[in-house]
């Protein structure tokens, strides 16, 4: 991959994972998403309000933007946490391949891989009630298993690569070799694998909303808006369709970004 | 002699996989125990709410075994869980084990039907593309659902049906509450993932020496499809299906709520709303057992289907 392409993809990723959630939250807040106007309750989409108003007369466009920002921000938080854990655990397992750290970490990876991930998250969120962002910390703590397998495989492959052997021959300590020679190469496959999980992470907010977990009123998240919209489908179908379209747009954007990254990594390292 | 050696190595692999699955099963039990031991504050107080009297909280603490030492409690609960005894529901006193097993039947049949539909659809579509290459844009279209959250299709279908067939969908009766339609909905995501994975695999195999040799021998299109493409991909089908099971389960739970089906999804919802910890624990552990068993079966069967995979 050329440095310019790498720079463009890095900028796009930062824009999607950091700038877009902040921008959506700021823009949504500026449109006043929380003040009710009972006289305009369930107003249909029109020139003034392009996606209508909810049952309390609040601007659905403002709530949608704020919810999109919050849901994307929480999913990004889970992504960063899962990526960090995947690189640390997968890296250690790969570096000590065949030794006890590898066996212990691989066992944990297998455990998290076999226990139903989404059910584990829902049950943990139900038991601990950690709040909206706390729920996504739990997601991050559970979602690292799949990318960690890739990171482990990369570290195993790179352990015998020529540049790593050369660094060893020069007497560099193991930590330096891991951080400077293997981690940058193992980063991309793990990052792409986590990015491919993004649509599910965004969707998980909707899933948590269905079980009454995650964000609580009046905070709007896509899950809560969609859940609320489903209960008023016949009276106001736009309340259900609008958050659905937002979830689709964000998911497609995440998938597209992951596909771009996936094409940029060497064939030998692809997921 | 060779046959005996092969049989011995298969037996060793089976024992190794079995031992590993048993250790994962114990790990899942412990994980579930730790999850519920780490409830912030008093679990009994949380379950009963802030207005419950101290006596009733004390009674519940005793019933939940919270008055016993930690290690004794974890050990006792793990042994009970091994016998699939998760205690009684805090909401209505029903035994958790039989209740979860009963509800699991519907969720399992929904998920199983979804997987069967997904595999059939995927193979049918790939066969159509194999015999009529002009239909290959269908493969691109079938990729779309895999870019979206797995259960979004259920929500979209619920929205559409509520608009076009009002009264049918949320009533819990009528055509849309029958298990086949929810299964079809749950099948959309795994079918898309399977079609995408197998499509790329088939396309790579078509340029491989195995397929080209089969063509050079003059095999017909049917034989090429079944013998040169499908047969060597059976292990991949199983691997993809097993990898998607977690998503299929979660989609099934949400779909059950959307379609008002009395399965694990609705049981889970009731347990979450009522802080019914034994029920939550039972649901988690029963599903973990099933998932670990399915992974074990997949790891055992795959080397038999494809000798290139080491046992």
């Amino acid at each position: 991959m050329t440095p310019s392409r790498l720079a463009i993809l890095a900028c796009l990723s930062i824009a999607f994972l950091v700038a877009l959630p902040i921008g959506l939250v700021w823009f949504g807040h500026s449109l006043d998403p929380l003040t009710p106007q009972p006289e305009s309750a369930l107003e249909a989409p029109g020139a003034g309000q392009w996606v209508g108003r909810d049952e309390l007369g609040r601007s659905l466009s403002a709530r949608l933007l704020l919810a999109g920002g919050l849901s994307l921000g929480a999913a990004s938080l889970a992504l960063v946490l899962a990526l960090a854990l995947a690189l640390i655990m997968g890296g250690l397992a790969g570096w000590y391949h065949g030794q006890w750290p590898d066996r212990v970490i691989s066992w944990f990876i297998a455990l998290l891989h076999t226990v139903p991930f989404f059910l584990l998250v829902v049950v943990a969120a139900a038991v601990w009630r950690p709040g909206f962002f706390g729920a996504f910390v739990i997601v991050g703590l559970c979602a690292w298993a799949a990318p960690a397998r890739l990171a482990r495989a990369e570290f195993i492959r790179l352990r015998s690569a020529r540049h790593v052997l050369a660094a060893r021959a020069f007497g560099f300590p193991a930590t330096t070799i891991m951080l400077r020679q293997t981690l940058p190469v193992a980063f991309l496959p793990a990052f792409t694998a986590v990015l491919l999980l993004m649509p599910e992470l965004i969707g998980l907010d909707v899933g948590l909303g269905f079980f009454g977990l995650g964000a609580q009123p009046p905070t709007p998240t896509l899950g809560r808006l969609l859940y609320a919209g489903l209960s008023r489908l016949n009276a106001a179908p736009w309340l259900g369709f609008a958050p659905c379209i937002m979830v689709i747009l964000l998911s497609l954007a995440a998938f597209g970004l992951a596909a771009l990254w996936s094409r940029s990594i060497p064939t030998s390292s692809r997921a | 002699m060779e046959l005996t050696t092969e049989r011995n190595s298969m037996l060793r692999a089976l024992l190794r996989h079995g031992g590993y699955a048993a250790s994962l099963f114990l790990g899942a039990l412990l994980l579930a125990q730790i999850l519920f031991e780490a409830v912030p504050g008093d679990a009994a107080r949380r379950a009963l709410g802030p207005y419950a009297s101290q006596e009733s909280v004390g009674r519940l603490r005793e019933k939940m075994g919270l008055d016993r030492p930690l290690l004794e409690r974890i050990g006792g609960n793990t042994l009970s869980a091994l016998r699939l005894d998760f205690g009684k529901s805090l909401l209505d006193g029903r035994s958790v084990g039989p209740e979860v097993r009963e509800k699991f039947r519907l969720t399992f049949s929904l998920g199983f039907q979804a997987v069967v539909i997904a595999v059939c659809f995927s193979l049918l579509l790939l066969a159509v593309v194999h015999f009529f290459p002009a239909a290959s844009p269908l493969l691109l279209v079938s990729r779309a659902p895999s870019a979206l959250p797995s259960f979004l299709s259920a929500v979209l279908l619920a929205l559409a049906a509520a608009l076009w067939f009002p009264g049918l969908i949320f009533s819990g009766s009528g055509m849309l509450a029958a298990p086949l339609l929810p299964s079809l909905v749950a099948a959309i995501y795994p079918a898309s993932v399977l079609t995408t994975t197998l499509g790329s695999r088939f396309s790579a195999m078509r340029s491989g020496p195995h397929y080209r040799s089969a063509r050079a021998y003059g095999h017909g299109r049917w034989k090429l499809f079944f013998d040169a493409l499908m047969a060597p991909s059976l292990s991949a089908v199983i691997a993809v299906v097993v990898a998607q099971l977690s998503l299929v389960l979660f989609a099934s739970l949400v779909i059950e709520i959307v379609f008002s089906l009395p399965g694990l999804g609705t049981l889970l919802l009731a347990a979450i709303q009522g802080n019914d910890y034994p029920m939550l624990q039972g649901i988690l552990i029963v599903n973990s057992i099933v998932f670990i068993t399915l992974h074990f079966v997949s790891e055992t069967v795959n080397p038999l289907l494809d000798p290139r995979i080491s046992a």
Side-chain angles (χ1 to χ4, degrees):
Chain A
M1 182 168 30
T2 58
S4 59
R5 190 179 164 82
L6 182 70
I8 291 169
L9 281 180
C11 288
L12 272 177
S13 305
I14 293 170
F16 181 70
L17 297 173
V18 182
L20 185 61
I22 294 173
L24 285 174
V25 169
W26 176 81
F27 193 44
H29 259 304
S30 70
L31 294 176
D32 190 14
L34 299 174
T35 311
Q37 290 181 19
E39 68 280 5
S40 313
L42 297 181
E43 187 184 293
Q49 290 294 327
W50 46 277
V51 275
R53 289 182 180 274
D54 69 1
E55 69 278 9
L56 295 177
R58 293 171 295 194
S59 161
L60 190 58
S61 53
R63 291 177 69 72
L64 210 54
L65 290 170
L66 179 59
L70 286 174
S71 295
L72 186 59
S76 302
L77 173 75
L79 179 144
V80 170
L81 199 58
L83 181 64
L85 277 171
L87 286 172
I88 294 169
M89 304 299 264
L92 281 173
W95 191 259
Y96 294 104
H97 177 54
Q99 299 169 45
W100 70 265
D102 178 30
R103 291 203 186 101
V104 172
I105 293 170
S106 294
W107 185 83
F108 271 106
I109 291 174
L111 180 66
L112 283 177
H113 198 69
T114 44
V115 171
F117 161 70
F118 293 102
L119 187 61
L120 183 65
V121 169
V122 167
V123 170
V127 170
W128 292 338
R129 306 275 171 169
F132 179 56
F133 282 98
F136 276 83
V137 170
I138 296 175
V139 173
L141 291 175
C142 297
W144 59 272
R149 282 186 161 187
L150 287 175
R152 177 179 174 270
E154 275 300 290
F155 268 74
I156 292 173
R157 188 176 69 83
L158 290 167
R159 251 169 33 125
S160 51
R162 283 183 187 175
H163 68 287
V164 174
L165 291 178
R168 274 187 174 171
F170 274 115
F172 286 114
T175 328
T176 312
I177 301 173
M178 278 170 81
L179 290 176
R180 289 200 179 169
Q181 309 291 337
T182 50
L183 190 64
V185 186
F187 177 82
L188 275 186
F191 179 65
T192 311
V194 183
L195 212 50
L196 280 169
L197 272 179
M198 259 314 249
E200 286 302 330
L201 295 183
I202 295 167
L204 194 60
D205 167 37
V206 184
L208 289 172
F210 268 88
F211 291 105
L213 303 164
Q216 299 301 318
T219 311
T221 62
L222 289 177
R224 190 131 291 277
L225 288 185
L226 192 51
Y227 189 66
L230 276 178
S231 59
R232 291 182 182 274
L233 263 182
N234 292 321
W238 60 89
L239 290 181
F241 276 113
C244 242
I245 290 167
M246 190 71 165
V247 172
I248 291 175
L249 288 177
L250 290 177
S251 301
L252 288 179
F255 190 80
L257 194 60
L260 283 176
W261 274 110
S262 185
R263 279 183 199 166
S264 305
I265 56 179
T267 322
S268 60
S269 307
R270 274 181 198 173
Chain B
M1 182 72 178
E2 204 172 285
L3 202 66
T4 321
T5 320
E6 198 179 317
R7 201 174 289 163
N8 281 345
S9 74
M10 270 176 61
L11 196 66
R12 270 201 302 275
L14 195 67
L15 285 174
R16 198 173 62 243
H17 287 316
Y20 201 67
S23 78
L24 288 178
F25 173 54
L26 275 177
L29 284 184
L30 274 175
L31 182 70
Q33 297 294 334
I34 292 165
L35 193 73
F36 287 89
E37 286 299 333
V39 174
D42 187 347
R45 169 62 69 188
R46 275 178 73 105
L48 290 175
Y51 304 111
S53 68
Q54 200 54 44
E55 290 82 47
S56 42
V57 172
R59 273 199 302 277
L60 186 60
R61 279 181 64 80
E62 198 177 329
K63 192 174 154 193
M64 291 170 79
L66 295 174
D67 50 345
R68 287 185 286 159
L70 180 69
L71 284 179
E72 188 190 321
R73 196 162 65 231
I74 289 180
N77 288 348
T78 307
L79 283 175
S80 303
L82 279 172
R83 296 192 301 268
L84 294 185
D85 173 15
F86 308 106
K88 297 210 184 288
S89 162
L90 297 184
L91 289 180
D92 48 20
R94 286 173 297 172
S95 284
V96 169
E99 184 70 19
V100 173
R101 281 203 297 276
E102 190 198 320
K103 301 286 185 203
F104 182 75
R105 235 178 270 161
L106 179 82
T107 306
F108 183 79
S109 70
L110 204 154
F112 181 73
Q113 280 173 215
V115 167
V116 171
I117 292 169
V119 172
C120 292
F121 171 83
S122 171
L123 292 178
L124 192 69
L125 186 60
L126 288 166
V128 167
V129 171
H130 178 76
F131 288 105
F132 309 101
S136 52
L138 284 177
L139 285 181
L140 271 179
V141 176
S142 72
R143 286 184 75 164
S146 67
L148 302 174
S150 50
F151 53 84
L152 196 69
S153 43
V155 176
L156 285 174
L157 194 78
L159 285 168
L163 275 182
W164 295 316
F165 308 105
L168 268 179
I169 197 149
F170 295 116
S171 58
S173 63
M175 185 186 74
L176 291 176
L180 190 61
L181 193 80
S183 304
L184 273 172
V185 174
I188 293 174
Y189 185 85
S192 171
V193 174
L194 197 60
T195 311
T196 308
T197 315
L198 287 184
S200 343
R201 192 181 158 95
F202 281 12
S203 143
M205 284 167 84
R206 279 197 190 98
S207 53
H210 173 69
Y211 185 84
R212 283 191 296 170
S213 307
R215 274 189 75 173
Y217 273 116
H219 290 317
R221 284 194 161 185
W222 277 106
K223 199 165 171 58
L224 278 176
F225 182 73
F226 283 106
D227 290 359
L229 292 177
M230 244 184 78
S233 303
L234 278 180
S235 59
V237 172
I238 293 180
V240 173
V241 165
V242 169
Q244 297 303 314
L245 281 178
S246 180
L247 285 172
V248 172
L249 171 75
F250 192 61
S252 302
L253 297 180
V254 172
I255 286 166
E256 279 171 15
I257 295 174
V258 172
F259 286 90
S260 306
L261 295 173
L264 272 189
T266 35
L267 189 69
L268 183 64
L269 185 63
I272 289 170
Q273 285 168 348
N275 284 329
D276 193 351
Y277 297 134
M279 191 65 85
L280 287 172
Q281 199 172 27
I283 293 172
L284 181 62
I285 291 175
V286 166
N287 279 287
S288 301
I289 293 169
V290 174
F291 270 63
I292 290 168
T293 311
L294 288 173
H295 272 89
F296 167 65
V297 171
S298 143
E299 300 249 317
T300 313
V301 168
N302 265 353
L304 298 177
L305 289 174
D306 189 347
R308 288 170 297 181
I309 301 170
S310 59

